[in-house]
Amino acid sequence: MEIKQAEFIISAAYKTQFPADAKVEIAFVGRSNVGKSSIINTLTNRRKLVKTSGTPGKTRLVNFFMINNEFYFVDLPGYGYAKVSKSQLENWATTIENYLIGRRQLKKVILLVDSRHKPSKDDITMYEWIKHFGYECMVVATKSDKITKNEKFKNEKIIRETLQMDKDEKLYFFSSLNRSGKEEILDNLF
């Protein structure tokens, strides 16, 4: 699949603000510092489509991006960021939940985990939640340029076991720095 067009549509906090059309949506979820903005920018070949920051936790709303005038990428707020108030964390959780529950247009959720670390309790909860509600889940391990080939094999096993992934589920390794994994992810979006 080739992405030829990508544009920001809206940042929304409430369901009433979400696009009302029936176009397919693919959501990106993960910890605040896992690289959601970077993967969307890399997949769309746009360096600044999604704002990136050195400070985790900047995405606070549900951001919709129209892709090829056919479907949406949806960037959700990150979870697990400790340097914000408890009420802010609760607001983010509510925003994510409001989007994910009952969204008919949502066809796939891309769960991003850090390839260097064992998935967190929040990652496990999100994975289980995605499966429980019947969404198709694609697990992508980001920042793969920061690990060796041997670490990649070892960490793949750890990620699979921690999330209790089925044997037939694919785990994708991705790096926004060297763009490895980009084509494989794009080819398997649908």
Side-chain angles (χ1 to χ4, degrees):
M1 173 196 197
E2 185 179 353
I3 294 179
K4 296 179 180 179
Q5 176 270 339
E7 67 176 299
F8 170 75
I9 301 299
I10 191 170
S11 288
Y14 307 103
K15 284 188 175 192
T16 56
Q17 299 170 315
F18 297 163
D21 59 32
K23 287 185 169 61
V24 167
E25 296 171 3
I26 298 170
F28 292 78
V29 297
R31 290 181 57 85
S32 294
N33 60 346
V34 78
K36 288 185 311 301
S37 301
S38 296
I39 193 172
I40 294 171
N41 285 338
T42 301
L43 293 176
T44 60
N45 294 313
R46 299 270 307 272
R47 286 190 304 160
K48 295 183 180 182
L49 177 67
V50 186
K51 291 179 182 150
T52 58
S53 170
T55 307
K58 289 293 185 187
T59 303
R60 297 175 183 197
L61 301 170
V62 179
N63 296 304
F64 291 83
F65 302 90
M66 177 65 71
I67 308 298
N68 291 344
N69 288 315
E70 296 174 15
F71 62 94
Y72 293 99
F73 276 170
V74 183
D75 184 17
L76 297 173
Y79 53 78
Y81 186 55
K83 293 187 180 179
V84 295
S85 70
K86 188 174 181 179
S87 65
Q88 183 64 57
L89 285 174
E90 289 170 1
N91 286 344
W92 289 351
T94 301
T95 300
I96 293 169
E97 191 174 319
N98 281 340
Y99 171 73
L100 290 174
I101 291 179
R103 187 76 179 153
R104 290 186 334 271
Q105 297 91 325
L106 180 59
K107 300 304 177 195
K108 185 174 282 190
V109 180
I110 299 177
L111 174 62
L112 304 177
V113 296
D114 191 320
S115 66
R116 302 168 298 174
H117 307 292
K118 180 178 178 178
S120 70
K121 189 174 104 177
D122 290 332
D123 292 326
I124 296 166
T125 300
M126 182 57 71
Y127 179 78
E128 289 172 349
W129 194 94
I130 293 165
K131 296 298 222 171
H132 173 77
F133 284 98
Y135 292 116
E136 186 179 343
C137 184
M138 178 185 241
V139 180
V140 175
T142 62
K143 305 180 183 186
S144 65
D145 57 284
K146 298 182 187 302
I147 59 174
T148 66
K149 204 175 251 189
N150 285 339
E151 289 172 320
K152 183 177 173 181
F153 291 117
K154 182 183 87 173
N155 293 2
E156 178 174 3
K157 186 176 190 283
I158 291 168
I159 292 167
R160 286 183 166 285
E161 287 175 357
T162 304
L163 294 178
Q164 297 181 359
M165 294 174 69
D166 293 334
K167 288 180 182 170
D168 60 336
E169 278 185 279
K170 185 95 170 84
L171 174 64
Y172 300 87
F173 279 84
F174 174 79
S175 166
S176 59
L177 187 67
N178 62 26
R179 304 167 82 82
S180 66
K182 175 187 171 186
E183 296 306 321
E184 189 178 16
I185 292 168
L186 284 172
D187 289 345
N188 289 285
L189 279 180
F190 292 103

